[in-house]
């Protein structure tokens, strides 16, 4: 009735009507719309005439939309969705969302309000099929619209979670990969990281390790070192306003731990022990872990094991020495002894080492991070052999194969095999003279190197002669002065 009176008393403005008169009409739309909404709620309770109520609101929405009134249009579309939700008519809700979004000249603010309103109904759907249908409808509406890109990312995440619960991990991973949240300027940093970590986790679950690595590189590890205690600066006028992250998004330090735990899963696939050790080292530096002895003890054990398992190189040596300097290592003396054995340039007996640490090795299955990789025991023996060969190469320039095999507690063919592998990996320089049965650890020098070494030796010799002459001359002058006195 109010809408009819409005049409009767207010004709279309003439062509020369000033534009400034339109906001006054908008105020009338808002007042009329509020009264229409109240009367419709009353009629719904009385007669449950949903279609008639929706039709009345659609007429009001059309008038507000054509007049460019943002507040009235937004209120109209949200009232329509609320009526459908109160009536529990989910099919009409989906239909109205699609119809209203496709209206000619539909306002961005109205679409955004409609999507946000409908997202609140997802958790209140009666069954999974209805929930999936509502999410797909909202995805279709928000596809390709920048102003609802954050809402679409959250919808995709909800749908992927449902697919995962149904056992469709590959389908859930494909859904998540369609969204590139790193380009969303208005999304909170923690929400972006959480979304990318979810993408990485699903790729690891489906054993797509290459894509998991590509996605993990979208996260810079420097973002975890940002001081969160500093107060945020207020955005200046004209800057993009970043939305607050939802309450279910973990904090930055929790995301740091999740990130490195996922990277441990990735590196464990290729048995990259040094990278696994560095991941555990980063987890060890988290304040919540370092303050809890029950947590840092288990993490430090893992650091020691993977340091021992990692092949010898400068990075491994640096981490080994820095770990030995850690005061907390004294709380687990058996692991401190293990690391010292690898730092000390002495031959380690494999049998005695394994007998001492076999129980510790087996107990890792029940600790944080689970058991070590399947090849860990075999690789541990390989690292001990490599350590022993490096020790022998430091003290011997030439040694027989038989004697080296005795020191390593191996057969001659096994000794040659391990020695050849180290030479191929450029961890060692050696030559085997099989007819003579002799191994040479000396580097073959060419003529230039020999001449350079001679030149250096001659320079040292001349320096010594000059210093000696100076000392003789000094002593002579001292004795002469003493005789004159």
């Amino acid at each position: 009735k109010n809408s009819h009176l409005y049409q009767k008393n207010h004709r279309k403005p003439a062509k020369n009507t000033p534009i400034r008169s339109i906001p006054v009409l908008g105020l009338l739309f808002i007042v009329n719309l509020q009264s229409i909404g109240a009367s419709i709620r009353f009629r719904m309770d009385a007669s449950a005439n949903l279609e008639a109520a929706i039709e009345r609101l659609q007429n009001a929405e059309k008038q507000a939309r054509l007049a460019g009134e943002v507040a009235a249009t937004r209120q109209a579309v949200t009232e329509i969705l609320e009526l459908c939700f109160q009536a529990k008519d989910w099919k009409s809700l989906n239909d109205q969302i699609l119809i209203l979004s496709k209206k000619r000249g539909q306002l961005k603010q109205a679409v955004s309000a409609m999507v946000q309103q409908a997202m609140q109904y997802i958790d209140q759907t009666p069954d999974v099929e209805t929930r999936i249908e509502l999410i797909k409808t909202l995805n279709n509406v928000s596809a390709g619209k920048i102003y609802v890109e954050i809402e679409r990312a959250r919808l995709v995440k909800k749908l992927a979670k449902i697919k995962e619960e149904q056992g469709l991990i590959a389908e859930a991973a494909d859904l998540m990969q369609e969204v590139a949240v790193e380009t969303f300027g208005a999304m909170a940093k923690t929400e972006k990281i959480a979304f990318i970590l979810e993408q990485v986790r699903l790729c690891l679950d489906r054993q797509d390790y290459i894509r998991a690595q590509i996605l993990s590189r979208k996260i810079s590890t420097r973002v975890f070192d940002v001081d969160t205690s500093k107060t945020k600066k207020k955005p200046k006028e004209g800057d993009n306003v970043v939305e607050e992250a939802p309450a279910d998004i973990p904090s930055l330090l929790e995301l740091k731990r999740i990130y490195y735990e996922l990277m441990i899963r990735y590196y464990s696939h290729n048995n990259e022990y040094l990278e696994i050790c560095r991941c555990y080292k980063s987890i060890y530096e988290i304040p919540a872990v370092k303050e809890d002895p029950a947590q840092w003890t288990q993490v430090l054990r893992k650091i020691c094991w993977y340091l021992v398992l990692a092949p010898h190189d400068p990075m491994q040596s640096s981490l080994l020495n820095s770990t030995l300097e850690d005061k907390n290592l004294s709380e687990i003396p058996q692991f401190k002894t293990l690391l010292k054995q690898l730092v000390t340039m002495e031959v380690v007996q494999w049998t005695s080492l394994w007998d001492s640490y076999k129980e510790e090795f087996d107990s890792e299955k029940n600790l944080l991070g689970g058991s070590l990789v399947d090849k860990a025991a075999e690789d541990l023996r390989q690292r001990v052999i490599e350590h022993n060969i490096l020790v022998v190469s430091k003290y011997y320039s030439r040694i027989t194969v038989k004697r080296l095999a005795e020191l390593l507690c191996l057969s001659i063919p096994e000794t040659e095999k391990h020695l050849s592998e180290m030479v191929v990996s450029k961890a060692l320089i050696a030559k085997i003279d099989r007819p003579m049965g002799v191994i040479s650890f000396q580097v073959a020098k060419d003529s230039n190197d020999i001449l350079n070494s001679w030149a250096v030796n001659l320079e040292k010799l001349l320096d010594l002669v000059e210093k000696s002459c100076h000392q003789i001359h000094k002593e002579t002058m001292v004795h002469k002065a003493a005789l004159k006195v």
Side-chain angles (χ1 to χ4, degrees):
K1 182 177 179 181
N2 292 336
S3 176
H4 176 71
L5 291 174
Y6 171 80
Q7 292 177 358
K8 181 178 179 181
N9 297 328
H10 297 274
R11 304 294 182 183
K12 289 185 178 180
K15 293 183 179 181
N16 297 327
T17 303
I19 298 176
R20 62 177 178 271
S21 63
I22 293 178
V24 178
L25 298 177
L27 294 174
L28 295 175
F29 278 131
I30 295 172
V31 174
N32 291 334
L33 189 58
Q34 290 175 347
S35 59
I36 290 171
S39 61
I40 288 173
R41 288 197 189 93
F42 175 77
R43 291 182 183 180
M44 279 296 299
D45 294 336
S47 60
N49 191 0
L50 180 62
E51 293 182 1
I54 290 175
E55 185 178 355
R56 295 289 299 275
L57 276 173
Q58 283 178 342
N59 293 332
E61 181 272 336
K62 180 179 179 181
Q63 294 174 8
R65 171 166 46 84
L66 295 179
E69 293 298 327
V70 176
T73 309
R74 187 193 297 119
Q75 186 176 0
V77 296
T78 53
E79 286 285 347
I80 292 173
L81 299 188
E82 183 67 22
L83 288 175
C84 296
F85 172 70
Q86 294 295 337
K88 302 300 179 184
D89 191 343
W90 301 103
K91 185 178 182 304
S92 297
L93 178 64
N94 292 327
D95 294 340
Q96 291 301 322
I97 292 172
L98 291 173
I99 292 170
L100 292 171
S101 65
K102 293 179 181 179
K103 293 283 188 179
R104 180 173 62 87
Q106 185 60 274
L107 302 177
K108 295 179 181 180
Q109 295 87 343
V111 175
S112 178
M114 185 169 56
V115 172
Q116 293 172 1
Q117 178 82 4
M119 285 180 66
Q120 300 175 9
Y121 305 149
I122 293 175
D123 295 332
Q124 304 181 44
T125 48
D127 50 37
V128 178
E129 288 76 13
T130 308
R131 188 177 301 120
I132 293 174
E133 190 64 28
L134 180 56
I135 293 174
K136 286 183 176 180
T137 302
L138 294 173
N139 275 338
N140 293 334
V141 171
S142 58
K145 297 180 175 65
I146 297 177
Y147 51 89
V148 285
E149 60 185 5
I150 297 177
E151 286 78 8
R152 184 170 187 273
R154 293 169 181 170
L155 288 167
V156 169
K157 189 175 180 180
K158 286 179 180 289
L159 185 58
K161 186 177 181 181
I162 295 172
K163 295 293 183 182
E164 185 182 4
E165 291 173 354
Q166 294 176 346
L168 305 172
I169 296 176
E171 191 174 340
D174 291 336
L175 282 171
M176 293 288 287
Q177 290 164 23
E178 293 176 358
V179 184
V181 293
E182 64 273 9
T183 61
F184 295 177
M187 181 178 278
K189 179 172 61 178
T190 53
E191 189 174 1
K192 283 185 188 178
I193 296 172
F195 194 93
I196 296 173
L197 290 178
E198 192 68 13
Q199 291 176 326
V200 174
R201 184 187 65 80
L202 288 171
C203 287
L204 290 174
D205 289 345
R206 69 183 296 190
Q207 298 182 351
D208 189 355
Y209 295 100
I210 296 175
R211 199 177 298 275
Q213 183 190 25
I214 294 171
L215 291 169
S216 66
R217 288 178 178 174
K218 293 181 179 181
I219 301 174
S220 174
T221 54
R222 289 179 296 179
V223 76
F224 298 122
D225 300 328
V226 177
D227 188 4
T228 55
S229 61
K230 294 182 179 179
T231 57
K232 295 181 180 179
K233 295 182 179 179
K234 293 183 179 180
K236 297 180 181 179
E237 188 176 354
D239 293 346
N240 292 329
V241 179
V242 179
E243 291 189 9
E244 292 290 334
D248 59 339
I249 299 298
S251 64
L252 196 61
L253 291 176
E254 292 173 353
L255 291 172
K256 178 180 180 179
R257 180 163 187 163
I258 295 170
Y259 169 78
Y260 283 111
E261 286 175 351
L262 291 174
M263 296 313 297
I264 288 169
R265 285 182 57 188
Y266 169 73
Y267 289 124
S268 299
H269 171 66
N270 295 324
N271 295 333
E272 299 182 38
Y273 298 121
L274 188 59
E275 295 298 331
I276 296 173
C277 175
R278 293 176 65 184
C279 291
Y280 274 114
K281 194 83 173 175
S282 299
I283 294 174
Y284 180 71
E285 297 298 329
I286 298 174
V289 176
K290 210 159 188 177
E291 294 170 1
D292 187 2
Q295 294 189 49
W296 65 252
T297 302
Q298 299 181 24
V299 175
L300 193 56
R301 286 169 62 99
K302 285 288 193 297
I303 292 172
C304 295
W305 275 121
Y306 284 109
L307 269 175
V308 174
L309 291 169
H312 178 77
D313 64 0
M315 177 64 74
Q316 186 261 358
S317 180
S318 175
L319 283 174
L320 189 62
N321 289 304
S322 64
T323 306
L324 274 171
E325 295 174 359
D326 192 344
K327 295 180 181 178
N328 291 333
L329 194 61
S330 58
E331 300 293 331
I332 43 177
Q334 66 274 26
F335 285 90
K336 188 173 184 178
T337 305
L338 176 64
L339 296 184
K340 280 187 175 179
Q341 286 182 339
L342 294 180
V343 172
T344 308
M345 296 305 289
E346 294 180 0
V347 174
V348 179
Q349 294 294 329
W350 163 248
T351 53
S352 61
L353 179 73
W354 182 244
D355 291 340
S356 302
Y357 290 94
K358 188 176 185 304
E359 293 183 2
E360 297 288 348
F361 186 86
D362 294 335
S363 65
E364 290 295 326
K365 297 178 182 178
N366 303 321
L367 297 179
L368 177 72
S371 60
L372 303 176
V373 295
D374 298 334
K375 289 180 59 184
E378 181 184 344
D379 289 333
L380 180 60
R381 182 170 179 268
Q382 177 78 10
R383 296 291 95 81
V384 172
I385 293 171
E386 291 175 359
H387 167 77
N388 292 338
I389 293 175
L390 288 172
V391 171
V392 172
S393 68
K394 182 177 180 180
Y395 292 109
Y396 289 86
S397 59
R398 297 173 77 248
I399 189 173
T400 62
V401 180
K402 183 179 179 182
R403 176 58 179 157
L404 181 61
E406 290 176 359
L407 291 172
L408 300 178
C409 300
L410 297 173
S411 62
I412 292 177
E414 287 180 332
T415 303
E416 291 184 356
K417 176 191 172 187
H418 289 294
L419 186 63
S420 302
E421 288 176 353
M422 292 187 68
V423 171
V424 170
S425 63
K426 297 182 179 180
L428 183 69
I429 297 174
K431 287 186 178 180
I432 303 175
D433 186 351
R434 280 184 171 168
M436 295 292 294
V438 176
I439 301 170
S440 175
F441 295 108
Q442 290 180 336
V443 181
K445 296 181 179 180
D446 57 6
S447 57
N448 292 328
D449 293 334
I450 294 172
L451 288 173
N452 290 333
S453 64
W454 288 354
V456 171
N457 291 335
L458 284 173
E459 187 178 354
K460 290 180 179 178
L461 178 61
L462 291 173
D463 288 339
L464 288 172
V465 170
E466 186 178 356
K467 288 179 180 179
S468 301
C469 292
H470 177 71
Q471 292 293 336
I472 292 170
H473 183 66
K474 180 181 177 181
E475 291 293 330
T476 304
M477 295 299 292
V478 169
H479 284 290
K480 284 183 179 180
L483 290 173
K484 287 181 181 180
V485 173

